[in-house]
């Protein structure tokens, strides 16, 4: 009898696959990538709407920046109204800061508006962070970012500043007896048989129990492991370079020589030195 993937897989990797939840990048990536129905279900529940149809869904979408930092977006989708969606699955609250959202919006807008098009043609955009825990500790299922002008209407309410970008934080701890509560439950359990939504459960079951799905998961885990190791190495090298720059400067080495020796720009060295002096 021919061996199956289950006969040859590393038990440690198999154990890790079985523990994965939708709140984990590895599983989320394969469940929603290219699956318009699963992504449509997700967006409909998050927005509490039934009038939209998803026409595009991709995961781990790289947005390149020739002049600065590039970003990798968890889920990027589009609906029949040409509304764009960026949904981020975030385990740690520290990765969901306002400035990160600002940068995501800038990168998405930069890659959406074509040359010579008017700014009014920018599509509506939703940036939604699904967090494992309640970031703001207020018990709300959803936190909306409301942008307003410092001008009040006749009812004393501030006028909205409508730039077409809607920002939402989803409380992954929420377990209300409604669609969102059930969805957050499904994102937090590793067991497909415990899920409320069959569309999600069937995909999770496929990638945890069927040979082809498990094979895909093994490959993703290995690739992500290599990528994360490379990122950790790069971060370590950056920290060493920063400490070296501080040491050189403290010993009277010029900024120009420091920059040349450590393959940095003069501006980067000045920034490191300014941070040191302000500390």
């Amino acid at each position: 009898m021919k061996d199956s993937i289950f006969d040859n897989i590393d038990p440690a990797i198999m154990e890790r696959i079985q523990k994965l939840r939708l709140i984990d990048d590895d599983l989320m990536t394969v469940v929603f990538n290219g699956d318009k129905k699963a992504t449509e279900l997700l967006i409909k529940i998050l927005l509490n709407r039934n009038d939209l149809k998803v026409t595009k869904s991709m995961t781990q979408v790289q947005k390149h920046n020739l002049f600065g930092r590039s970003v990798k977006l968890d889920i990027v989708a589009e609906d029949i109204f040409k509304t764009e969606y960026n949904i981020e699955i975030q385990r740690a609250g520290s990765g969901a800061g306002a400035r990160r959202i600002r940068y995501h919006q800038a990168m998405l807008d930069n890659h959406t508006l074509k040359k010579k098009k008017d700014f009014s043609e920018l599509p509506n955009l939703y940036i939604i962070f699904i967090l494992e825990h309640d970031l703001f500790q207020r018990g709300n299922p959803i936190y909306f970012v409301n942008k307003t002008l410092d001008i009040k209407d006749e009812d004393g309410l501030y006028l909205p500043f409508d730039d077409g970008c809607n920002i939402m934080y989803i409380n992954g701890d929420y377990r209300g007896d409604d669609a969102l509560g059930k969805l957050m439950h499904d994102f937090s359990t590793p067991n497909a048989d415990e899920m409320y939504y069959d569309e999600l459960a069937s995909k999770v079951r496929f990638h945890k129990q069927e040979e082809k799905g498990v094979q895909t998961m093994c490959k993703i885990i290995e690739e992500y492991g290599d990528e994360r190791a490379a990122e950790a190495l790069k971060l370590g090298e950056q920290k060493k370079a920063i400490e070296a720059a501080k040491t050189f400067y403290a010993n009277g080495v010029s900024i120009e020589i420091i920059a040349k020796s450590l393959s940095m720009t003069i501006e980067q060295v000045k920034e490191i030195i300014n941070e040191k002096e302000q500390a």
Side-chain angles (χ1 to χ4, degrees):
M1 181 180 293
K2 184 179 179 181
D3 289 347
S4 72
I5 184 67
F6 300 104
D7 297 315
N8 300 311
I9 188 173
D10 184 337
I13 292 180
M14 192 63 189
E15 182 181 3
R16 179 176 175 184
I17 290 173
Q18 296 309 312
K19 289 180 178 179
L20 288 174
R21 305 162 298 159
L22 286 174
I23 200 71
D24 297 307
D25 278 349
D26 296 350
L27 185 59
M28 175 279 301
T29 294
V30 295
V31 168
F32 290 101
N33 188 38
D35 193 325
K36 292 182 283 189
K37 287 188 176 180
T39 306
E40 185 175 305
L41 171 71
L42 175 64
I43 295 174
K44 281 183 174 180
I45 294 174
L46 295 178
L47 270 60
N48 191 25
R49 289 174 57 180
N50 289 311
D51 62 337
L52 59 83
K53 185 176 180 63
V54 168
T55 58
K56 178 180 69 176
S57 176
M58 300 177 290
T59 59
Q60 301 303 319
V61 178
Q62 188 83 31
K63 296 292 184 181
H64 296 284
N65 184 355
L66 295 176
F67 306 103
R69 178 171 179 170
S70 298
V71 294
K72 184 180 286 187
L73 307 178
D74 284 348
I75 301 175
V76 173
E78 183 180 295
D79 67 19
I80 55 173
F81 305 111
K82 300 300 180 183
T83 298
E84 299 282 336
Y85 301 89
N86 169 214
I87 303 172
E88 294 294 313
I89 315 299
Q90 191 68 39
R91 295 279 305 274
S94 58
R99 291 178 186 267
R100 178 180 177 183
I101 291 177
R102 170 183 161 185
Y103 199 72
H104 278 214
Q105 179 183 349
M107 292 296 287
L108 285 159
D109 287 346
N110 184 54
H111 285 76
T112 300
L113 195 64
K114 305 301 182 183
K115 289 182 178 180
K116 298 184 180 180
K117 292 292 184 179
D118 190 81
F119 294 115
S120 62
E121 297 184 57
L122 271 173
N124 288 329
L125 169 65
Y126 282 85
I127 299 179
I128 305 171
F129 272 71
I130 300 177
L131 303 171
E132 183 173 17
H133 300 297
D134 187 350
L135 178 63
F136 302 104
Q137 297 296 310
R138 299 298 178 89
N140 294 356
I142 302 176
Y143 299 94
F144 297 93
V145 176
N146 297 312
K147 305 173 188 177
T148 61
L149 292 166
D150 191 19
I151 304 171
K152 294 182 179 180
D153 61 17
E154 59 273 13
D155 297 319
L157 301 175
Y158 288 105
L159 296 178
F161 178 77
D162 185 11
D163 62 356
C165 180
N166 307 277
I167 300 169
M168 302 162 54
Y169 290 95
I170 310 299
N171 174 8
D173 284 328
Y174 179 67
R175 294 293 184 275
D177 188 22
D178 57 6
L180 182 61
K182 293 175 181 177
L183 180 67
M184 290 302 95
H185 166 274
D186 285 2
F187 263 74
S188 300
T189 179
N191 188 351
D193 295 333
E194 295 179 353
M195 291 184 171
Y196 288 100
Y197 294 103
D198 291 336
E199 297 93 327
L200 302 179
S202 62
K203 294 291 293 287
V204 170
R205 196 174 289 112
F206 171 76
H207 286 99
K208 290 192 174 193
Q209 299 177 15
E210 297 188 26
E211 185 170 331
K212 188 175 180 180
V214 171
Q215 195 168 15
T216 299
M217 288 306 306
C218 289
K219 183 178 180 181
I220 286 178
I221 287 175
E222 290 171 358
E223 289 176 350
Y224 276 20
D226 292 342
E227 183 179 316
R228 287 164 184 158
E231 289 176 353
L233 179 61
K234 184 178 179 181
L235 181 60
E237 291 172 348
Q238 289 174 341
K239 289 181 177 178
K240 289 180 181 178
I242 290 171
E243 291 305 315
K246 292 177 181 178
T247 300
F248 286 153
Y249 184 74
N251 285 282
V253 180
S254 70
I255 291 175
E256 290 77 11
I257 293 177
I258 294 172
K260 186 175 181 180
S261 300
L262 299 175
S263 299
M264 294 181 175
T265 66
I266 291 175
E267 289 72 21
Q268 287 174 328
V269 177
K270 286 181 178 179
E271 184 177 346
I272 292 169
I273 291 169
N274 288 336
E275 289 179 355
K276 180 178 184 297
E277 292 177 344
Q278 292 172 6

